[in-house]
Amino acid sequence: MLHLGDYNYLEILRDLEHGMYLGSDDGDVLLPRKYIPEGTQVGDMISVFVYRDSEDRLIATTLEPKAKVDQFACLQVRDVNNFGAFLEWGLEKDLFVPYRNQHEALYPGQWALVYVYLDENSDRLVGSTKLGPFLNYDPIELEEGDEVQLLIGPEKALGYQVIVNHKYLGMLYRNEVFRTLEPGEYTPGYLKQVREDNKLDVSLQKQGYDEVREATETVLAKLQEANGHLPLTDKSSPDLIYQTLGMSKKTFKKAIGALYKRGTVQLLPEGISLLTKS
């Protein structure tokens, strides 16, 4: 059975001028010549993404979309017309989001969290920015401090909307973001709390004691790699600290404070240095 909107492993049946035809139980599928890997021959098995083109024909491609069927993605709006919006998702044909599926009117250039699904009436892949029906509402079996995967969505008034572990909606607050985030980026994060509305508050770093302990281990490891000295102080820029250590300036200050109290490092005007034990 052919899986529309997903990857299929199909056999190449014949080679014609405009491309190769792949066999499936639902009929032959065209792989246009521009997508055929060099050296591919009749009889080979090939992994392709299958969808419908602008004329509703089944088409295979070796391009990789930013989301498959039944997945969330953060996509940018390329165009709008009287029927809906068209979002760039890595394929030649844009993903269509009809007006009835829009939480609020989309406009060109906008980034939006969207869910990709197969419309049963048209047998086409479409998107929806009305995320509610597609979120998971089962009891959340996560605890505060658990590591989670975040799909970064558009920036809102309070911070970034995110999809957590591919199934929950969450918020990453702006005052806790210490580096540049790109819409559509996947990044690890940590659960802060589960709200009463079943939405999640998340952070890019662990909270409390575990956060400081991990940070001190990171600083010590970097000091050892750098022959015992790092040109970082509490006046260093947040960007430089993140580029060097992968942590916020606030966390860095907690870590070096803990190491100083422990008698492990010396705080100098030009940086921090490991103290050698006599």
Side-chain angles (χ1 to χ4, degrees), residues 156-194:
K156 300 293 186 179
L158 295 176
Y160 294 85
Q161 275 191 323
V162 296
I163 296 295
V164 182
N165 287 356
H166 308 288
K167 53 186 177 181
Y168 306 114
L169 188 62
M171 175 61 69
L172 177 60
Y173 292 96
R174 181 184 289 108
N175 62 358
E176 297 181 358
V177 175
F178 50 85
R179 64 178 176 89
T180 302
L181 294 174
E182 299 295 336
E185 173 185 349
Y186 282 94
T187 186
Y190 298 92
L191 178 64
K192 288 182 61 181
Q193 69 169 339
V194 179

Side-chain angles (χ1 to χ4, degrees), residues 11-206:
E11 181 182 2
I12 299 173
L13 300 181
R14 56 190 183 276
D15 188 353
L16 301 177
E17 182 179 352
H18 52 285
M20 289 180 162
Y21 278 90
L22 316 179
S24 80
D25 294 338
D26 297 312
D28 295 349
V29 183
L30 174 65
L31 175 62
R33 185 151 301 281
K34 59 186 171 183
Y35 301 133
I36 299 173
E38 186 176 350
T40 303
Q41 299 178 356
V42 172
D44 289 350
M45 300 294 294
I46 187 170
S47 178
V48 291
F49 184 84
V50 179
Y51 67 114
R52 292 191 181 277
D53 67 8
S54 56
E55 298 179 13
D56 279 344
R57 299 173 299 185
L58 289 173
I59 291 291
T61 179
T62 50
L63 296 176
E64 295 185 11
K66 296 176 182 177
K68 301 186 299 181
V69 67
D70 298 330
Q71 284 187 345
F72 292 98
C74 185
L75 305 176
Q76 190 169 31
V77 181
R78 190 194 295 272
D79 196 13
V80 297
N81 65 15
N82 292 332
F83 302 100
F86 297 85
L87 281 60
E88 195 284 312
W89 67 318
L91 299 182
E92 189 170 312
K93 180 186 177 183
D94 294 332
L95 181 69
F96 180 54
V97 180
Y99 277 115
R100 68 176 183 276
N101 285 3
Q102 296 181 25
H103 177 66
E104 55 187 24
L106 298 172
Y107 55 87
Q110 177 185 2
W111 288 91
L113 283 172
V114 59
Y115 187 81
V116 182
Y117 71 96
L118 183 63
D119 182 74
E120 294 181 355
N121 295 323
S122 64
D123 200 37
R124 294 181 183 179
L125 294 167
V126 296
S128 176
T129 59
K130 294 180 178 179
L131 305 181
F134 308 106
L135 296 169
N136 189 305
Y137 293 98
D138 294 335
I140 297 176
E141 297 179 353
L142 293 170
E143 297 182 358
E144 294 180 14
D146 281 356
E147 183 171 340
V148 293
Q149 186 181 48
L150 307 178
L151 166 62
I152 303 299
E155 189 172 5
K156 300 293 186 179
L158 295 176
Y160 294 85
Q161 275 191 323
V162 296
I163 296 295
V164 182
N165 287 356
H166 308 288
K167 53 186 177 181
Y168 306 114
L169 188 62
M171 175 61 69
L172 177 60
Y173 292 96
R174 181 184 289 108
N175 62 358
E176 297 181 358
V177 175
F178 50 85
R179 64 178 176 89
T180 302
L181 294 174
E182 299 295 336
E185 173 185 349
Y186 282 94
T187 186
Y190 298 92
L191 178 64
K192 288 182 61 181
Q193 69 169 339
V194 179
R195 303 205 310 252
E196 291 182 1
D197 57 4
N198 223 44
K199 295 178 182 176
L200 309 180
D201 289 341
V202 296
S203 171
L204 293 176
Q205 289 186 295
K206 284 187 176 180

Side-chain angles (χ1 to χ4, degrees), residues 254-265 267:
K254 289 179 181 178
I256 61 173
L259 290 170
Y260 177 75
K261 289 178 182 177
R262 205 188 294 173
T264 307
V265 300
L267 306 182

